[in-house]
Amino acid sequence: MHVSIDFDHTWELSVQVDQQEGEETMKFKIRVKGDLHVGGLMLKLVEKIKAPQNWSDHALWWEQKNCWLLKNHWTLDKYGVQADADLRFTPQHKPLCLQLPNMKTIKLTITFSSVVFKAVEEICKALNIRRSEELSLLRPPDDPKKKKKKDKGKGQAEDDIIDMDTISGVAGNSLYSKTMTATYDPENGTPASATSLWFGDNPLTASQPNIPAEELAKMYLPLSMEDKAVINAGWLDSSRSLMEQGVQENDKLLLRFKYHCFFDLNPKYDAVRITQLYEQARWAILLEEIECTEEEMLMFASLQYHICKLTMSTKPVDLSDEPEIDEVEAALSHLETTLEGRSTDRILEDITDIPKLEDTLKLYRPKRLLRTFKEYWFVFRDTSISYYKNKESANGEPIEQLHLRGCEVVPDVNVTEKKFGIKLLLPVADGMNEVYIRCDHETQYAKWKAACILASKGKTMAYSSYNTEVKNIQSFLQMKSLAPPPGQAAPDVESMEMNAECFVSPRYAKRYKNKQLSTRILEAHHNISQLTLMEAKLRFIQAWQSLPEFGIKYYIVRFKGCKKDEILGISYNRLIRIDMSTRLPLTTWRFSNMKQWNVNWEIRQVTIEFDQNVSVAFSCQSCDCRVVHEYIGGYIFLSTRSKDQNETLDEELFRKLTGGQE
C-alpha cells in the first residue's frame, strides 16, 4: 500500500463513523500530524461530520490492533497510529443479548469499551444482583453435536428476548432505574433499603416454571469431563474489554455465577441473586452438569415441586418482611464464605480444649486384602483418625493413623437403605489412597463427616463452624428421607396435578412411570412442605453445595514431564488432578497451602508452588492458560472479602491476581 506523507509531516488518516441503527456508515479522510492527540482527532472528526448528533459516547477503535484509543491526551505517535491505520469512530455503549442463569434472554445496552469485570458490574447493577464479582460472561459452546439445537436457537423469536432498555425507558416505570443504587450501612456493609422497596415487583425474583419433559429431553446431552472442559473454556478474560475479545453488537453471551463461593447471601436484599442462583443450580441438576444420586435427584425434585407450587400461588412475596437472617441463612453464610485458613468469625481455636470423637465404626480398604467392612474402635483427634482392634487396646499403638489434611471427603449415602458411608481419598506421594468408613446411623454419620470435612481443611472440631456443619448434614439427610414423618398419611397421588418428569433429569425420567415418580416426589415433599419460598430456594442451593462435585470446573491439561493429557479440576478451595480414563482423583492441592503461582506466557505454562517444596507445572490443552490462571487468582481474591468492606471491591487487587502480564 502506497502512503503519501507531505513535507509539513501531515498525512491522511481514514476513519469510519458508525451511525445510529439503520443509517449507513460514513468514511472520512482527515489530515493529521503525529503529535495530534486523540481528543483533537475526535474534535476534527465531529467538525467534519457536520451531523447534529450527540457524539459524546463515541470513541476510536483501532481494528488492526484490536484496541480502543481511550486515552484522549495521548498523541497518535504515542499510540503508534500511522497512515495505514483503519480507525472506527463508534459508540462505546452497544446492545448485548444475555442469557441469564434462568435460561431467559435479555437485551441490555452496556459499555463495550470497559473491561469485562466492569461490564459485569454494570449488568448486575441493572439487574439488581449484589456481589457482581461472583459472576462473569461465558461464550455459548459451539459444539458440532449441538448444531441442530444451535440453529434452532439462532432463530430465537425477538419477542422471547426481554428488552431491558425498553422496560427501563417506559415513563413512570422504574423497574430497572440505572440511577437507583442501594445505600449501604458502613458498619456491616448490608444495604440500608430492601430490594423490593427500590425495585418494586421485579420479574427476575420469580422462578421460571419447569419446562415440559419433551423440551428438557431436547436440551439434555450426557456430558463427559471432556465436554465440561470445552464448556469451561469459554469464560471471557475479565481484564480486557468485550470488543477486544471479538464480541460484537447484539451477540449472545451467557451470564453465570463463575466463582462458587457465595458471600453474604441475604434473603432481604438478594431476591434476584438467590433466585438466579437457584435457577443455575436447578439447570445444573436437570441437565446433569453435576452428578447426584437417585435419592438426591428426588430430593431436588421435591424442592422444585414445592417452589413451583408456591410461585404459582396467588400471594405475592413481600421481601421487605423477610427476616434478616434465619437458620438456613446462617448455615449458608457459614458454608464456606472464605477459603480455609481464615475463620469467618475470627474466633481463635482454643488449642487446650480440642474435642475428640470415639466410637465403633466399620472400615474397608479396597486396595488391601480386606474385601469386606470390618468393625474397629475409632478415635478422631485433631485432624487425624486412629483405629484400634477394640476399645480396650486404644491405649496402645493404633493399627493405622489416617492424616486427613488435604484429603477428599465423599459421601457414600443412601438414607432409604440406611447406608451412611464416608469415602476418604487420602493424599500420598504418588496419588490418593481410598478408605471407606461406615456409620450405624444419621447422628453418628453427621458428627464424623463434619469432623472429616474440617480436618481436610486443616481445622479441628474446636472451630465454631463444626456444629453448623453437623446441622447442615443432618438437614440434608432429613430432606433426602422419602418416608413421611410419623403421624402423616401417605400422599394421595390421584388428587395431585403434577407432571413429575419435568422435575428430574431425562435419564431418571426414563426409569419410572410418571405415577411412580409422582409418588416418590410427594413422599420426599412431606419433609419440606412447611418451608417458605425463600427458604426452599436457599435449601436447594445448600443441597447443591453439599454435592461432592459442587463448584468443580474441569480443564484438560498436560502436566510437565507427562506424555498424556489429564484432567485438572479447579474448585473454590483446591486443585484436583484427575486420571482421564478412570475419572478418579489422583492428588489434591489446597489453595491454603499455596505459596505462589505464575505463568510463563511464552510457553503458556502455569507453575504453582505449595508448602513442603511441592511444585506442579502444566500447560492447558482445552483452553487458553489465561482462563485457568484467572480462576485461581479469582478464588484467592474472593477469599479476601470481608463484611466491613461496604461492598466496595479492590479492583486493582483483582486485576493483579487475575490479569497476568504477557
Side-chain angles (χ1 to χ4, degrees), residues 202-414:
N202 184 330
L204 300 178
T205 60
S207 304
Q208 294 302 314
N210 282 40
I211 62 168
E214 49 281 8
E215 287 294 307
L216 187 62
K218 284 179 198 164
M219 295 172 74
Y220 172 75
L221 272 173
L223 292 171
S224 65
M225 278 185 184
E226 289 88 333
D227 294 331
K228 291 175 188 175
V230 170
I231 294 169
N232 291 325
W235 290 106
L236 294 188
D237 184 341
S238 294
S239 48
R240 289 162 70 216
S241 72
L242 290 167
M243 288 271 278
E244 286 171 305
Q245 299 181 69
V247 178
Q248 299 298 317
E249 196 169 315
N250 287 320
D251 274 3
K252 185 174 174 180
L253 293 173
L254 316 181
L255 178 73
R256 294 289 183 269
F257 288 88
K258 175 180 179 178
Y259 297 105
H260 286 55
C261 43
F262 317 122
F263 186 67
D264 180 30
L265 271 183
N266 192 321
K268 195 166 181 178
Y269 311 114
D270 286 321
V272 180
R273 184 170 163 227
I274 288 168
T275 297
Q276 295 300 327
L277 250 179
Y278 158 70
E279 288 283 343
Q280 185 163 327
R282 178 170 79 95
W283 282 105
I285 302 291
L286 288 174
L287 298 175
E288 291 189 13
E289 285 166 15
I290 185 168
E291 288 199 16
C292 62
T293 63
E294 184 172 316
E295 192 172 71
E296 286 158 352
M297 184 64 80
L298 289 164
M299 171 197 62
F300 285 120
S302 68
L303 281 163
Q304 287 176 75
Y305 167 64
H306 187 64
I307 289 164
C308 265
K309 217 166 99 171
L310 292 181
T311 304
M312 288 156 79
S313 69
T314 47
K315 184 178 172 283
V317 183
D318 182 6
L319 293 161
S320 55
D321 290 345
E322 277 288 340
E324 274 283 347
I325 291 289
D326 60 7
E327 270 186 64
V328 180
E329 176 47 32
L332 271 169
S333 63
H334 274 284
L335 249 181
E336 274 308 336
T337 49
T338 55
L339 299 186
E340 56 274 26
R342 299 178 179 87
S343 172
T344 49
D345 42 14
R346 301 199 181 94
I347 292 174
L348 287 170
E349 210 172 340
D350 181 358
I351 305 298
T352 56
D353 185 26
I354 294 174
K356 67 175 181 177
L357 286 174
E358 295 180 299
D359 220 331
T360 303
L361 305 172
K362 298 185 181 76
L363 177 110
Y364 159 57
R365 301 203 65 154
K367 287 184 182 168
R368 300 279 168 92
L369 292 171
L370 194 64
R371 287 274 170 236
T372 54
F373 280 94
K374 196 174 169 192
E375 272 193 4
Y376 294 100
W377 179 254
F378 279 75
V379 178
F380 201 127
R381 195 181 276 111
D382 293 334
T383 58
S384 302
I385 291 178
S386 303
Y387 63 93
Y388 305 83
K389 192 177 176 185
N390 48 38
K391 189 176 180 178
E392 291 69 44
S393 56
N395 293 328
E397 283 292 306
I399 297 170
E400 190 179 12
Q401 190 173 32
L402 310 172
H403 297 285
L404 269 57
R405 197 186 165 94
C407 78
E408 293 283 304
V409 182
V410 184
D412 180 27
V413 172
N414 188 319

Side-chain angles (χ1 to χ4, degrees), residues 104-122:
K104 288 282 170 203
T105 302
I106 61 164
K107 194 175 189 177
L108 189 66
T109 299
I110 62 164
T111 320
F112 271 56
S113 58
S114 295
V115 296
V116 165
F117 185 80
K118 277 282 182 213
V120 172
E121 196 174 18
E122 200 182 326

Side-chain angles (χ1 to χ4, degrees), residues 38-107:
V38 169
L41 172 61
M42 292 198 288
L43 208 60
K44 276 185 176 234
L45 196 56
V46 171
E47 282 169 7
K48 200 157 186 173
I49 299 168
K50 294 192 177 76
Q53 186 186 327
N54 181 358
W55 298 98
S56 60
D57 189 44
H58 276 59
L60 289 165
W61 169 256
W62 188 358
E63 207 76 59
Q64 297 105 312
K65 295 277 183 185
N66 197 37
C67 71
W68 287 93
L69 309 183
L70 295 174
K71 295 187 168 83
N72 289 347
H73 57 287
W74 274 31
T75 62
L76 297 179
D77 279 347
K78 190 164 183 180
Y79 265 120
V81 174
Q82 292 174 344
D84 60 349
D86 272 326
L87 298 185
R88 190 172 144 202
F89 194 47
T90 188
Q92 295 174 69
H93 285 80
K94 298 175 189 289
L96 188 66
C97 290
L98 291 168
Q99 190 198 67
L100 302 181
N102 66 1
M103 298 289 194
K104 288 282 170 203
T105 302
I106 61 164
K107 194 175 189 177

Side-chain angles (χ1 to χ4, degrees), residues 130-131 184 189-191 264 642-649:
R130 290 195 311 149
R131 307 286 175 200
Y184 297 108
T190 55
D264 180 30
S642 65
K643 278 253 181 161
D644 53 8
Q645 281 179 335
N646 200 13
E647 302 220 345
T648 49
L649 285 168

